[in-house]
Amino acid sequence: MAEQDIKYKFSSGFLWGTATSAHQIEGGNENNWTKWEKKGQIKDGSVSGRACNSYELYKEDIRLCKELNNNAYRFSLEWSRIEPEQGKFDKEALKHYQKVVECCRKNNIEPLVTLYHWTQPLWFAKLGGWLHKRSPLFFRNYAEAVAKQLGREVTFWCTINEPMIYSYNSYLKGKWPPQKKSYWQWKKALDNLIKAHKLSYFTLHSHNSKCKVSVAKNNQFFEPYVDSIFNKAVVKLITHYWNYYFLNKIKNELDYIGLNYYFHNLIYASLKGHVLMNENKIANDLGWEIYPKGIYEVLIGLKKYNLPIYILENGLADAKDEKRADFIKSHLRYIYQAIKDGTDVRGYCHWSLLDNFEWSEGYEPKFGLYRVNPKTFERTVRPSAKVYAEIAKNNGF
Ligand code: IFM
């Protein structure tokens, strides 16, 4: 593409990447989720099983990142592999992740490493998971072992993926393990996640003072359905709690903001509670509304933190790959606008590199730029991946 044809040009050094998580792609894990999956909890009756076999095929995955002309790759470490028994750290597992990081570096790909993407070692779950008083310390010990091995080679860390989504589904809604349904337990889990982030922030920094640590925060664009003072006030309250509560608690232990954007919620509030009024006319395969303008609003909302922002996830389930290319471009247009309007966005990771295990939804939703054959693990490129590769190559479109 000729330079003059690029309308949306991003700054040099902008990070273009994709995101994955250990449990969703690695296969062969043994953690609190695998235990729960075996109880027939997954919508399509599946279990994560061998997933994409990425624990073995990580070089192939990184080759795909290269094929996408990407200069970043966000992946997570599986805590249950690294610390299968409390206080006993598996050298082989740590070495494995070191090789993954080295492979990224060899390919000029910046590794963006997540410590906790929702799965727990069995011993941790047995002790009560995030409800245990000492859970932040247990997490800190894990972070310490990781930092000793990888600290010098990794710059970008994300301690916890989507703490609000995770704690809400696991401790309030009763949907994910350990299926608790209690406001107080939710609050406790959230408080412990906050403490875990803070402790591991200092641990990671003590091994590399130049590292950059954040969380991946799933922020949503909430809008009032009617223009009443009451409806607007409720939306303000929800926005504050969902988008900013966690970030405000950790704002002194944040080097950048990691943003995951998926949802727009049109809220009708009454004294009986609030309901979502989204028409979902344009939606992904899971029925989630596609609303690119929301990423602009959410980014503008983060301006007040005065920190660089990296988009660590944004994507859709689209098995036919009919909407993905437009989805990427339309979100990037709004990101570009948010940059023009003063937000310091420095990177974009598409969710996801591969079709993978979508938690309680199983394998049916297809989020990948690459299709994965569940038997042979062969990866096949989807047309939208080529569009994304062009964008990354030209640093714009
Ligand atoms: O697959 C998930 C991921 O683990 C966390 N963010 C949202 C994605 C799509 O639901």
Side-chain angles (χ1 to χ4, degrees):
M1 191 182 230
E3 195 64 22
Q4 67 271 19
D5 295 332
I6 300 176
K7 188 166 170 202
Y8 303 96
K9 182 89 186 162
F10 288 79
S11 58
S12 83
F14 193 84
L15 292 184
W16 296 100
T18 60
T20 60
S21 93
H23 188 65
Q24 293 177 271
I25 64 164
E26 279 183 352
N29 285 329
E30 235 187 285
N31 55 36
N32 65 326
W33 265 82
T34 45
K35 197 171 164 197
W36 186 73
E37 290 156 19
K38 285 181 199 140
K39 295 182 188 153
Q41 302 282 359
I42 308 303
K43 206 167 161 190
D44 59 9
S46 61
V47 291
S48 54
R50 292 185 70 192
C52 309
N53 197 21
S54 286
Y55 199 76
E56 267 180 48
L57 299 180
Y58 71 91
K59 284 189 188 151
E60 169 65 3
D61 292 346
I62 294 167
R63 189 188 66 75
L64 300 181
C65 298
K66 211 61 210 156
E67 199 168 88
L68 289 171
N69 302 312
N70 281 186
N71 55 1
Y73 176 43
R74 176 179 175 226
F75 60 92
S76 78
L77 312 180
E78 179 58 31
W79 185 2
S80 64
R81 286 186 190 271
I82 292 176
E83 194 180 2
E85 281 179 58
Q86 186 170 17
K88 293 199 176 137
F89 296 97
D90 187 314
K91 286 201 186 100
E92 287 310 308
L94 284 164
K95 263 193 214 142
H96 166 83
Y97 290 116
Q98 190 168 16
K99 281 193 225 147
V100 180
V101 169
E102 280 165 8
C103 184
C104 286
R105 290 261 176 248
K106 244 189 248 159
N107 285 285
N108 293 322
I109 286 173
E110 184 70 40
L112 313 177
V113 184
T114 300
L115 289 178
Y116 184 73
H117 200 119
W118 303 349
T119 47
Q120 305 170 358
L122 291 170
W123 63 264
F124 182 82
K126 206 168 160 198
L127 286 174
W130 293 108
L131 298 178
H132 195 287
K133 211 166 69 194
R134 299 183 64 213
S135 52
L137 290 172
F138 301 154
F139 187 73
R140 199 263 314 268
N141 294 343
Y142 156 61
E144 171 80 31
V146 168
K148 264 190 199 154
Q149 185 88 18
L150 305 177
R152 264 162 293 142
E153 291 157 62
V154 174
T155 304
F156 288 92
W157 294 101
C158 164
T159 57
I160 297 158
N161 184 67
E162 298 182 349
M164 294 300 277
I165 291 267
Y166 163 71
S167 57
Y168 173 77
N169 281 312
S170 292
Y171 294 92
L172 186 65
K173 206 175 172 203
K175 187 176 172 191
W176 294 344
Q179 291 190 292
K180 303 288 183 197
K181 281 188 190 176
S182 145
Y183 173 79
W184 296 111
Q185 291 189 330
W186 180 35
K187 190 79 185 47
K188 197 169 182 184
L190 211 48
D191 284 350
N192 282 332
L193 287 165
I194 289 165
K195 286 183 193 150
H197 168 82
K198 290 186 182 195
L199 291 177
S200 51
Y201 176 91
F202 293 114
T203 300
L204 294 167
H205 271 275
S206 72
H207 286 265
N208 175 357
S209 59
K210 291 203 182 100
C211 74
K212 311 235 173 274
V213 183
S214 187
V215 291
K217 185 66 190 55
N218 179 309
N219 276 10
Q220 312 189 359
F221 177 42
F222 300 97
E223 264 192 301
Y225 183 62
V226 291
D227 208 20
S228 69
I229 294 178
F230 180 70
N231 205 151
K232 287 201 275 194
V234 171
V235 164
K236 211 168 170 187
L237 205 73
I238 295 177
T239 304
H240 176 79
Y241 197 63
W242 187 271
N243 287 355
Y244 307 129
Y245 172 80
F246 200 92
L247 290 176
N248 289 345
K249 291 279 179 192
I250 60 169
K251 64 175 190 297
N252 296 327
E253 291 86 21
L254 271 182
D255 301 313
Y256 69 95
I257 292 186
L259 170 70
N260 293 4
Y261 172 74
Y262 292 92
F263 298 109
H264 166 232
N265 292 310
L266 203 50
I267 289 180
Y268 177 66
S270 72
L271 291 175
K272 287 191 208 142
H274 67 270
V275 281
L276 298 185
M277 304 297 285
N278 300 42
E279 285 185 19
N280 287 12
K281 279 190 184 149
I282 309 169
N284 75 17
D285 293 349
L286 285 165
W288 303 354
E289 185 191 9
I290 296 175
Y291 194 76
K293 184 168 179 271
I295 201 165
Y296 172 85
E297 303 290 348
V298 159
L299 284 168
I300 295 295
L302 291 170
K303 231 165 126 174
K304 60 183 174 196
Y305 293 100
N306 215 4
L307 285 170
I309 301 172
Y310 291 86
I311 292 152
L312 295 182
E313 281 185 37
N314 172 237
L316 78 168
D318 179 21
K320 294 192 182 137
D321 202 42
E322 289 167 341
K323 299 179 180 145
R324 193 171 282 104
D326 275 353
F327 177 100
I328 294 173
K329 284 189 185 167
S330 55
H331 282 78
L332 286 174
R333 275 186 211 110
Y334 276 110
I335 294 167
Y336 184 85
Q337 189 56 45
I339 296 171
K340 288 274 159 276
D341 293 345
T343 56
D344 187 8
V345 184
R346 299 191 187 176
Y348 173 87
C349 290
H350 189 74
W351 183 273
S352 181
L353 178 67
L354 308 169
D355 286 345
N356 58 47
F357 180 69
E358 177 57 20
W359 306 109
S360 51
E361 301 293 323
Y363 282 105
E364 219 170 277
K366 308 293 187 205
F367 277 90
L369 288 163
Y370 290 83
R371 202 179 294 130
V372 177
N373 180 316
K375 293 203 177 90
T376 61
F377 305 115
E378 190 193 347
R379 280 88 163 121
T380 316
V381 69
R382 288 203 163 99
S384 58
K386 299 194 172 158
V387 174
Y388 188 46
E390 268 305 291
I391 295 173
K393 184 169 138 202
N394 296 313
N395 206 23
F397 61 104

